[in-house]
């Protein structure tokens, strides 16, 4: 059985409240779970001690048993010092997509054309006045 350490949502509409649970990876998000090891209330201030409550001993036990934490739970475990989270690096995240690159090229071409059009008439009348 693949174990997952994840968040289970509770609370009413637009007032989320999460339980940190150990569950079978195949069970639904808010479905059956094995054990509740903590809570997370995102509505509280980030510096509040009540925002994240976690039983670190049970979390360490379940990690030894092979439970895989989700990204958010791994972040909580890192802040409490149970498990160090490796930093992620995605250099392609900031690169614009194909359509954005095409739009940028079109804008650059229009800017070049407008610049050439602005420069061409400015030069032409100067030559005409010199000839006259």
């Amino acid at each position: 059985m693949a174990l997952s350490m994840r968040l289970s949502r509770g609370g009413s509409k637009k007032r989320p409240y999460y339980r940190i649970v150990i569950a079978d990876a195949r069970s639904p998000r808010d479905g059956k779970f094995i054990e509740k090891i903590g809570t997370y209330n995102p509505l509280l201030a980030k510096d509040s001690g009540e925002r994240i409550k976690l039983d670190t001993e049970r979390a360490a036990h379940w990690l030894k048993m092979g439970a895989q934490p989700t990204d958010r739970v791994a972040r909580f475990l890192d802040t409490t010092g149970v498990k160090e989270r490796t930093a992620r690096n995605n250099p392609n995240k900031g690169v614009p997509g194909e359509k954005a690159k095409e739009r940028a090229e079109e804008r650059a071409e229009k800017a070049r054309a407008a610049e050439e059009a602005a420069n061409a008439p400015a030069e032409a009348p100067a030559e005409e006045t010199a000839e006259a």
Side-chain angles (χ1 to χ4, degrees), residues 2 5 11 25 32 34 36 43 45 47 62 64 68-69 85 92 94 98 101 105 111-112 120:
M5 192 178 296
K32 189 169 84 172
I34 299 168
K36 175 184 158 190
L43 299 177
D47 59 349
W62 283 108
K64 289 177 189 169
Q68 295 296 315
R85 182 174 59 109
N92 296 327
E98 295 297 321
K101 287 179 184 176
E105 289 174 9
R112 274 189 240 115

Side-chain angles (χ1 to χ4, degrees), residues 70-131:
T70 59
D71 291 338
R72 179 60 53 182
V73 174
R75 184 175 283 199
F76 297 156
L77 295 173
D78 186 38
T79 58
T80 57
V82 175
K83 181 182 178 187
E84 189 170 333
R85 182 174 59 109
T86 57
R88 293 181 158 190
N89 183 16
N90 185 358
N92 296 327
K93 183 176 182 180
V95 176
E98 295 297 321
K99 294 279 187 179
K101 287 179 184 176
E102 290 174 10
R103 286 191 298 266
E105 289 174 9
E106 289 174 9
R107 276 192 230 114
E109 288 177 21
K110 286 181 182 178
R112 274 189 240 115
E115 192 175 304
E116 289 173 6
N119 290 340
E123 293 172 3
E127 292 174 7
E128 291 174 10
T129 55
E131 292 175 7

Side-chain angles (χ1 to χ4, degrees), residues 32-57:
K32 189 169 84 172
F33 59 89
I34 299 168
E35 182 180 351
K36 175 184 158 190
I37 61 170
T39 60
Y40 167 56
N41 188 351
L43 299 177
L44 296 176
K46 290 188 180 184
D47 59 349
S48 173
E50 299 292 312
R51 185 176 168 102
I52 301 169
K53 292 182 183 177
L54 183 64
D55 185 354
T56 55
E57 292 177 10

